[in-house]
Amino acid sequence: MSVASAEVDAWIADRLIGGDPALDKALARNAAEGLPAIDVSAAQGKLLHVLARSIGAWRILEVGTLGGYSTIWLARALPDHGVLVMLEIDPHHAEVARANLDAAGIGDKVEIRVGPAVETLSRMETESEGPFDLVFIDADKPNNVAYLKAALALARPGALIIVDNVVREGRVTDASSTDAAILGTRALFDVVAAEPRLTATAIQTVGAKGWDGFMIAVVNDE
């Protein structure tokens, strides 16, 4: 019997996640406001939540948020005193995300900064705003290396740095590609592979969001 990976995702979500009105309403608001349907899946969001809880994260940085779906998953992992700083270039997306976060009851834990993330991260480094316990990068792929370097500068030893969309339906292996997203992702792998401060792997994912993957890196103790 052949079963589509999206059906398996739905089965997993039904067994291990269940219904969640706040998340469902966030996706509905995103669609109504014209945001692209490129959020992480429910299973992937739950994975981010579990990883954040597993390291006791209380300061999280999210680079790229769209309408805040993944932000809700991450913010829910924070303790009462925790904070999540999210960076979003599009003011409309940020406005929708704020509405979703407030409706989910976790808006008080999330600080939204609007503008190009490379510039925002540079200011954060200058002002020594770290350390963060977890950094989730899910923004424009050509800037993956810049985001990774900033994340490393802002993260504590033992922190997790997670990057989404690193497999891209297998096209990441195409050394002849001229696609800016592929080039940015391949450069990310090269930089991480050569970075002694990181221990990393990548996992392929299939399901509701197609064939893609996460890179997961831990910042080594100095």
Side-chain angles (χ1 to χ4, degrees):
M1 178 180 68
S2 176
V3 180
S5 59
E7 293 179 54
V8 177
D9 245 14
W11 187 87
I12 291 170
D14 180 63
R15 271 34 176 208
L16 300 180
I17 300 172
D20 193 311
L23 290 168
D24 293 342
K25 288 178 181 178
L27 291 178
R29 190 194 306 271
N30 290 354
E33 293 289 345
L35 275 61
I38 55 174
D39 313 86
V40 299
S41 70
Q44 292 167 342
K46 186 71 173 287
L47 172 63
L48 294 173
H49 176 88
V50 169
L51 289 172
R53 285 185 60 184
S54 72
I55 63 168
W58 68 275
R59 281 178 57 79
I60 295 175
L61 174 62
E62 183 178 32
V63 183
T65 191
L66 195 63
Y69 182 81
S70 57
T71 317
I72 294 172
W73 277 112
L74 287 166
R76 284 177 170 177
L78 292 167
D80 290 340
H81 62 287
V83 63
L84 187 153
V85 178
M86 54 165 276
L87 313 184
E88 174 56 48
I89 192 171
D90 189 302
H92 177 57
H93 292 180
E95 181 181 355
V96 174
R98 171 52 68 194
N100 285 332
L101 296 168
D102 290 343
I106 43 81
D108 59 330
K109 292 184 177 181
V110 181
E111 178 184 344
I112 301 176
R113 302 187 187 183
V114 181
V118 170
E119 297 176 11
T120 305
L121 289 166
S122 178
R123 289 194 297 271
M124 293 176 70
E125 288 185 64
T126 299
E127 296 171 11
S128 300
E129 288 199 37
F132 288 90
D133 305 298
L134 186 150
V135 182
F136 179 47
I137 299 170
D138 189 9
D140 58 306
K141 311 314 172 187
N143 279 316
N144 266 341
V145 170
Y147 299 148
L148 182 281
K149 290 182 176 179
L152 187 54
L154 292 166
R156 66 165 174 82
L160 289 180
I161 299 175
I162 305 169
V163 188
D164 196 10
N165 307 126
V166 299
V167 173
R168 313 197 68 79
E169 298 184 330
R171 292 181 293 131
V172 70
T173 63
D174 183 3
S176 65
S177 177
T178 58
D179 184 318
I182 301 299
L183 294 173
T185 304
R186 288 177 61 87
L188 171 72
F189 273 85
D190 291 340
V191 169
V192 172
E195 177 52 70
R197 292 173 291 174
L198 292 173
T199 298
T201 190
I203 57 170
Q204 300 183 74
T205 58
V206 296
K209 296 300 176 180
W211 177 22
D212 216 321
F214 286 113
M215 177 182 285
I216 304 174
V218 63
V219 180
N220 298 325
D221 292 335
E222 296 179 349

